[in-house]
Amino acid sequence: MHARHDPRSFVDELIVEKLGTRHMVVGDDFRYGSNAGGTIKTLRSAGQAHGFGVEQIAPFVFDGVRVSSTAVRERLEIADYPGAARLLGRPYRMMGRVVHGRRLGRALGFPTANLRLMRRKTPVWGISAVWVHGIDSRPLPGVASLGTRPTVNGVEPLLEAHVFDFSGDLYGRAIEVEFVAKLRDEVKFDSLDALVVQMKIDGANARDLLSKVDCG
């Protein structure tokens, strides 16, 4: 939203009118408004004019790395899930409510819990070994595909998680999918039969990998 507002209207319309802000705490590299034109200096000036305080916090460095959303995203983009977890202080997860899909996975022998993405772009892509939270008292192992499903001419990005040895109804249920390790990129197969062969391989690889690591 802030990208559509110049710095002044961002403060006037959002920070003051909509949020009624009394005090803001921002990072040392905080920018706001269209073209990131607003700085901490201009924000403090606006705060003096509108009666809200601005507190700047120092960067947090962990293991020699400045912790930031950019640093986390960079690690997720190269499937360095352990590295992202170290910066976050917890494993990276995506959460949402299970929605109805085309039931193709079930027809192919791999029923999936489908989550629509809450953002247009995601740093995570492809096929991964995962832990699925929110179904049982403990996380359950599985394999997940995050992509557009090119083999069946899909368009909308979708997270599809197949939970091993589970056959219950999850529609409408809130779950979290924790990414443990990337297995491969998403590719388009020549046939559904070829896709099923690869899904079986992915499932076996994910089971083997997860059997050797602790659940999150």
Side-chain angles (χ1 to χ4, degrees), residues 151 187-195:
T151 302
V187 296
K188 183 174 183 177
F189 291 91
D190 294 332
S191 67
L192 289 179
D193 288 340
L195 173 61

Side-chain angles (χ1 to χ4, degrees), residues 77-162:
E77 286 175 346
I78 61 173
D80 180 10
Y81 301 145
R86 285 194 295 273
L87 297 182
L88 288 169
R90 57 173 176 77
Y92 179 73
R93 302 177 186 175
M94 287 187 178
M95 65 179 298
R97 291 195 178 276
V98 179
V99 299
H100 288 275
R102 297 168 56 183
R103 297 181 181 270
L104 179 60
R106 185 176 299 277
L108 297 177
F110 290 85
T112 59
N114 303 326
L115 302 181
R116 289 197 176 94
L117 302 189
M118 301 303 293
R119 61 187 68 183
R120 293 181 180 178
K121 296 180 64 177
T122 170
V124 177
W125 208 256
I127 316 303
S128 299
V130 300
W131 293 111
V132 181
H133 301 252
I135 298 175
D136 199 357
S137 58
R138 58 184 178 82
L140 300 180
V143 60
S145 170
L146 204 169
T148 58
R149 308 167 312 287
T151 302
V152 294
N153 301 316
V155 176
E156 177 191 13
L158 193 68
L159 172 57
E160 301 173 290
H162 171 65

